Amino acid sequence: MARIVGGLTTSHIPAIGNAIARKMFEDPYWKPFFDGYPPVREWLDEVKPDVAVVIYNDHGLNFFLDKQPTFAIGAAPEYRNDDEGWGIPTIAPFKGDPAFSWHLIDNLVHDDFDLVTCQEMLVDHGFTVPMQLFWPNYADIGIKTVPLVINTVQHPLPSPRRCYNLGKSLGKAIESYPEDLKVVILGTGGLSHQLDGQRAGFINKTFDRMCMEKIVDDPEHFLDMSIRDLVVEAGAQGAEFILWLAMRGALTGKVTARHSNYHIPISNTASGLLCLENAA
Amino acid sequence: MARIVGGLTTSHIPAIGNAIARKMFEDPYWKPFFDGYPPVREWLDEVKPDVAVVIYNDHGLNFFLDKQPTFAIGAAPEYRNDDEGWGIPTIAPFKGDPAFSWHLIDNLVHDDFDLVTCQEMLVDHGFTVPMQLFWPNYADIGIKTVPLVINTVQHPLPSPRRCYNLGKSLGKAIESYPEDLKVVILGTGGLSHQLDGQRAGFINKTFDRMCMEKIVDDPEHFLDMSIRDLVVEAGAQGAEFILWLAMRGALTGKVTARHSNYHIPISNTASGLLCLENAA
Amino acid sequence: MTHNKEPIPGTVMFDGTQAMKGYALNKMCYSFNNKQNREEFLADEEAYMDKYGLNDEQKQAVRDKVVLDLIAAGGNIYYLAKFAGMYGLNVQDVGAQQTGMSVEDFKEKLRRAGE
Amino acid sequence: MTHNKEPIPGTVMFDGTQAMKGYALNKMCYSFNNKQNREEFLADEEAYMDKYGLNDEQKQAVRDKVVLDLIAAGGNIYYLAKFAGMYGLNVQDVGAQQTGMSVEDFKEKLRRAGE
Ligand SMILES: [Fe+3]
Ligand SMILES: [Fe+3]
């Protein structure tokens, strides 16, 4: 049977992709950010997950307002990135696992999650940056992926509780898969940031610290928050925290934080890195 | 406040569109089918709804398997049809009501329905044929519409219960709209038919008769059926009955059948017409 | 979780398994919504099938226009209807072909279902 | 049903109301994912804006490259980022412009948030 080995969170902003492309790992601005990742990579080297379910938000590459999904899931044999408008480099494609995707879809729809199924799908920086951060050699090791997209573009967004429940259903679905897969769940994006309006540049360290803590041991703390509450506390784009909640919902067992790193600022964002181990 | 005046069901098969285009109303094959509609049109003339929420399934015009939604809703100022592959004529566009659409979206997402929002959308025969049958002069009277699409293309489909619950949330949302709109709900498609496989041409009169009856007074009868059960009883495409269930879920008050017509066959399909009045 | 996936005789549920098989074929058929694409296909079927990456089984089923084979190759009836439509075949023609009946007999079978 | 829609100072929620206003503008900005489209726009901004049916308010905001005006005209920051990107403006430049600060001061403000 498939087993959920853990969950990872990381910011996914495009500037990170640029910094990776330019190998700015030792640059004084970037060093405190990049230094968080090697211990997580060591953990991944040890655990060797076969599949990553990547929960992220599309920022206007694969989806537009003519067909804006609340929840969308990939079921393709591979996923490619593409130009997002600022000439981001095209990188090696990511392997899919369509049979596993369909197993998840069957179970999530059975649990009344109204998914959009995507048998072809472009993945944007919300997906590629975390994959590159955790598996710089993803193309060589051939880790498989399932992209799961949550709407953060067009209000109304799904509530924190809905996203957490999606995660719970996802976790149950994964653990009912008959193959012996080791699965890791990524919740990408966050933490507090706001790009638009007179409030641009808003960051809330106190709230973020609380998120980093409670997401480990007390994720239900957030379930009565509305999206508006999240925007007040974490900024307009800080609402991406719902992606973390979906990830956390999928961790079915005893959860331990193996590594964490919090750094302000990367670009306009407070960046949060967490490596959560999930024990049966 | 907005008020739900009633619900209508009708088959929507493309052949009807052709027959309308060729004005075959008195043709012996078509007459028993078309003769069902004048009494419903008289009722509509009396009641004069301002908006039609049209629950239908897209058969591969606006959506493809790269982005196949479970539930999608229009929020566009107008909706057009287009060539579906067999050169269907392009007809006058349908008026939208985006402000009303967004009110529905806000409330349905609040109720944990994971919609795809469509600010631009092509409508296929599942939408246009019923509109033409009920309002041959739709372009002149300027009735507004909200298309609501339910997946019947790609299994897993949403369950009968999920669709009925979607309807319930829709009904509640409509009745909380502050404007004095009269709203009619269309559930299109069905009844029993199967287009594909050695079982093509399957029709189940007994089951259909039961559907025509129970959908009025006892819609909950169907809620424990699975999609597979529906396919067994009503044929592969008879699963479109979930569209009727969504419509029925939206009728919040005392429901009376004002007119009905059942006829076999139209093309490969048992056609069912119902006009349900919804009293407060 | 156990969902009842027991086969229904004469019926292929278009589920994930079929979808994985049929994507290229269905994508090609979806493209037939567009008149220019239909013309391009009819001008050179083989080139058009290559463009969409159909496998051999799908290509042969397209050449033969055998609906049951198209379904077995992962085709979805809603997209296949667009393919059939190009040849002026309606759902009764398609039904007759799949059930091995004449179109007249198939229509009579439908009529009888109403008795 | 009552959802709390009380405004958050300095923040425009991109909800249905904004979406209805901004569709043409956002559709144009979404098109900038494509290099050819970016070049077509840069070669003749006015013709490109007409092609997408922008209204006068949107056109003026595009000409002026004032982000707050673009948002007021219904623009969504994710699509606007593609527009800004064409001019080599990153999110710090955009943030500085909206808050009326120099880019250096804006960056300093971000840095201070970490203290
Ligand atoms: Fe983001
Ligand atoms: Fe249909």
Side-chain angles (χ1 to χ4, degrees):
Chain A
M1 301 296 277
R3 192 162 62 80
I4 299 166
V5 293
L8 305 172
T9 72
T10 175
S11 302
H12 62 212
I13 44 176
I16 303 171
N18 287 334
I20 293 174
R22 291 192 221 138
K23 300 194 196 310
M24 297 175 79
F25 312 117
E26 296 301 321
D27 176 278
Y29 181 83
W30 285 101
K31 194 171 161 43
F33 169 78
F34 281 118
D35 277 356
Y37 291 84
V40 182
R41 282 184 216 129
E42 279 160 35
W43 180 82
L44 287 167
D45 271 350
E46 224 175 84
V47 173
K48 290 193 183 44
D50 305 295
V51 187
V53 176
V54 185
I55 303 173
Y56 72 106
N57 53 327
D58 179 272
H59 305 73
L61 173 65
N62 195 61
F63 297 105
F64 179 59
L65 302 176
D66 62 334
K67 291 171 188 164
Q68 179 62 42
T70 297
F71 298 136
I73 185 166
E78 72 169 29
Y79 305 97
R80 293 175 177 273
N81 79 329
D82 205 349
D83 190 351
E84 298 182 36
W86 44 79
I88 208 170
T90 319
I91 57 177
F94 297 85
K95 259 196 189 168
D97 187 345
F100 182 54
S101 286
W102 282 112
H103 171 83
L104 300 180
I105 292 164
D106 278 344
N107 284 280
L108 286 164
V109 171
H110 181 88
D111 280 357
D112 288 347
F113 291 93
D114 314 314
L115 301 178
V116 177
T117 54
C118 303
Q119 296 176 49
E120 204 167 340
M121 191 180 198
L122 293 172
V123 290
D124 83 349
H125 64 268
F127 177 102
T128 59
V129 166
M131 285 301 295
Q132 289 180 292
L133 283 167
F134 292 128
W135 294 276
N137 59 342
Y138 71 88
D140 301 326
I141 63 169
I143 183 163
K144 293 177 174 183
T145 60
V146 178
L148 205 171
V149 174
I150 296 184
N151 170 33
T152 68
V153 171
Q154 171 71 66
H155 289 265
L157 315 185
S159 70
R161 185 181 297 277
R162 182 68 177 162
C163 294
Y164 186 75
N165 286 341
L166 173 77
K168 280 175 78 166
S169 176
L170 174 69
K172 211 173 50 162
I174 291 170
E175 301 209 319
S176 73
Y177 193 58
E179 278 186 43
D180 277 330
L181 289 183
K182 282 176 283 182
V183 181
V184 65
I185 323 278
L186 272 60
T188 91
L191 285 169
S192 62
H193 63 304
Q194 175 150 346
L195 303 177
D196 47 344
Q198 293 89 342
R199 201 178 177 234
F202 174 83
I203 284 179
N204 184 347
K205 193 174 168 176
T206 316
F207 182 74
D208 287 346
R209 284 285 185 200
M210 196 264 278
C211 288
M212 297 279 293
E213 230 186 85
K214 296 235 183 251
I215 194 86
V216 185
D217 290 323
D218 183 20
E220 309 211 343
H221 173 85
F222 302 100
L223 300 193
D224 286 327
M225 286 184 84
S226 68
I227 289 292
R228 188 181 176 283
D229 294 337
L230 255 187
V231 171
V232 168
E233 295 294 339
Q237 281 70 42
E240 286 179 346
F241 186 63
I242 54 177
L243 309 170
W244 291 37
L245 284 171
M247 175 282 297
R248 184 59 184 83
L251 303 185
T252 47
K254 194 178 142 24
V255 172
T256 326
R258 288 288 302 257
H259 300 285
S260 80
N261 189 41
Y262 178 73
H263 177 65
I264 295 174
I266 286 303
S267 185
N268 288 17
T269 305
S271 87
L273 168 68
L274 270 174
C275 172
L276 305 178
E277 196 167 57
N278 180 56
Chain B
M1 303 294 280
R3 192 161 62 80
I4 299 167
V5 294
L8 306 172
T9 73
T10 175
S11 301
H12 62 213
I13 43 174
I16 303 171
N18 287 334
I20 292 173
R22 291 192 222 139
K23 302 194 192 313
M24 296 174 80
F25 310 117
E26 296 299 323
D27 176 278
Y29 181 83
W30 285 100
K31 192 171 164 44
F33 169 80
F34 281 119
D35 276 356
Y37 290 84
V40 181
R41 282 185 217 127
E42 278 161 36
W43 180 81
L44 286 167
D45 271 351
E46 223 176 84
V47 173
K48 290 191 184 43
D50 305 294
V51 188
V53 176
V54 184
I55 303 173
Y56 73 106
N57 54 327
D58 179 272
H59 305 72
L61 174 66
N62 195 62
F63 298 105
F64 180 59
L65 302 175
D66 62 333
K67 291 171 189 163
Q68 179 62 43
T70 297
F71 298 137
I73 184 166
E78 72 169 28
Y79 305 97
R80 293 176 177 271
N81 79 330
D82 204 349
D83 189 351
E84 298 181 36
W86 44 77
I88 208 170
T90 319
I91 57 178
F94 297 85
K95 259 197 189 169
D97 187 346
F100 181 54
S101 286
W102 282 111
H103 169 84
L104 301 180
I105 292 164
D106 277 344
N107 284 280
L108 286 163
V109 171
H110 181 88
D111 280 357
D112 288 348
F113 290 93
D114 314 314
L115 302 178
V116 176
T117 53
C118 302
Q119 296 176 46
E120 204 166 338
M121 192 180 199
L122 294 171
V123 289
D124 83 351
H125 65 268
F127 176 102
T128 58
V129 166
M131 285 301 296
Q132 289 179 292
L133 283 169
F134 292 129
W135 293 275
N137 59 341
Y138 70 89
D140 301 326
I141 63 168
I143 183 163
K144 293 177 174 182
T145 60
V146 179
L148 204 171
V149 175
I150 296 184
N151 170 33
T152 66
V153 171
Q154 172 72 65
H155 290 263
L157 315 186
S159 70
R161 185 181 297 277
R162 182 68 177 162
C163 294
Y164 186 74
N165 286 340
L166 173 77
K168 280 174 79 166
S169 176
L170 174 69
K172 210 172 52 162
I174 292 170
E175 301 208 319
S176 72
Y177 193 58
E179 277 185 45
D180 277 331
L181 289 183
K182 280 176 285 181
V183 181
V184 66
I185 323 278
L186 271 60
T188 90
L191 286 171
S192 63
H193 63 305
Q194 175 150 345
L195 303 177
D196 48 344
Q198 292 88 343
R199 200 177 177 235
F202 174 83
I203 284 179
N204 184 346
K205 192 173 167 177
T206 316
F207 182 74
D208 287 346
R209 284 283 184 203
M210 196 263 279
C211 288
M212 298 278 293
E213 229 186 86
K214 296 235 183 249
I215 194 86
V216 185
D217 290 323
D218 183 19
E220 310 213 342
H221 173 83
F222 302 99
L223 300 193
D224 285 328
M225 287 184 86
S226 68
I227 290 292
R228 189 182 175 284
D229 294 338
L230 255 188
V231 171
V232 168
E233 295 294 340
Q237 281 69 44
E240 286 179 347
F241 186 63
I242 54 178
L243 309 170
W244 290 37
L245 284 171
M247 174 284 295
R248 184 60 183 84
L251 303 185
T252 47
K254 193 176 143 22
V255 172
T256 327
R258 289 289 301 257
H259 299 285
S260 80
N261 189 38
Y262 179 73
H263 177 67
I264 295 174
I266 285 304
S267 184
N268 288 18
T269 305
S271 86
L273 167 68
L274 270 173
C275 171
L276 304 178
E277 196 167 56
N278 180 56
Chain C
M1 230 149 298
T2 56
H3 311 301
N4 182 351
K5 293 219 169 191
E6 206 187 309
I8 300 168
T11 305
V12 175
M13 294 285 230
F14 188 76
D15 59 7
T17 307
Q18 289 304 105
M20 285 188 278
K21 247 195 271 180
Y23 192 72
L25 172 60
N26 290 317
K27 191 173 174 180
M28 181 181 86
C29 291
Y30 178 68
S31 81
F32 296 146
N33 276 334
N34 181 289
K35 190 163 179 246
Q36 260 181 319
N37 290 337
R38 298 198 291 270
E39 285 165 359
E40 189 185 329
F41 171 81
L42 291 171
D44 188 346
E45 300 190 6
E46 296 297 324
Y48 201 82
M49 291 195 285
D50 281 334
K51 182 168 150 187
Y52 279 84
L54 270 61
N55 65 27
D56 289 342
E57 183 193 357
Q58 293 166 340
K59 284 180 181 175
Q60 197 53 48
V62 167
R63 286 182 205 116
D64 297 344
K65 300 179 188 52
V66 172
V67 177
L68 291 177
D69 293 353
L70 288 161
I71 291 171
N76 174 299
I77 191 66
Y78 291 121
Y79 308 116
L80 294 179
K82 298 168 197 297
F83 169 69
M86 276 198 294
Y87 299 97
L89 301 174
N90 64 29
V91 289
Q92 270 122 45
D93 300 313
V94 167
Q97 193 206 68
Q98 294 177 99
T99 51
M101 300 168 96
S102 71
V103 176
E104 273 323 301
D105 286 355
F106 186 75
K107 284 187 179 171
E108 177 59 17
K109 170 189 145 93
L110 288 164
R111 205 193 52 73
R112 285 233 181 110
E115 282 173 359
Chain D
M1 229 150 301
T2 56
H3 311 301
N4 183 348
K5 292 221 169 189
E6 207 187 308
I8 300 167
T11 305
V12 175
M13 294 286 229
F14 188 76
D15 59 7
T17 307
Q18 290 303 106
M20 284 188 279
K21 246 195 269 179
Y23 192 72
L25 172 61
N26 290 316
K27 189 173 176 181
M28 182 181 84
C29 291
Y30 178 69
S31 81
F32 297 146
N33 277 333
N34 182 289
K35 191 163 179 247
Q36 260 180 320
N37 291 337
R38 298 198 290 271
E39 285 166 359
E40 188 184 331
F41 171 81
L42 290 170
D44 188 345
E45 300 191 5
E46 295 297 326
Y48 201 83
M49 291 195 286
D50 281 334
K51 184 169 148 184
Y52 279 84
L54 271 61
N55 65 28
D56 289 340
E57 184 193 358
Q58 293 166 338
K59 283 182 181 175
Q60 197 53 48
V62 168
R63 286 181 204 119
D64 297 343
K65 300 176 189 51
V66 172
V67 177
L68 291 177
D69 293 352
L70 288 162
I71 291 171
N76 173 297
I77 191 66
Y78 291 119
Y79 308 115
L80 294 178
K82 299 167 198 296
F83 170 69
M86 276 198 295
Y87 299 98
L89 302 174
N90 63 30
V91 289
Q92 269 121 46
D93 300 314
V94 167
Q97 194 207 67
Q98 294 177 99
T99 51
M101 300 168 97
S102 72
V103 176
E104 274 323 300
D105 286 353
F106 186 75
K107 284 185 176 172
E108 178 59 17
K109 168 188 144 96
L110 289 163
R111 206 194 51 74
R112 286 233 179 108
E115 282 173 358

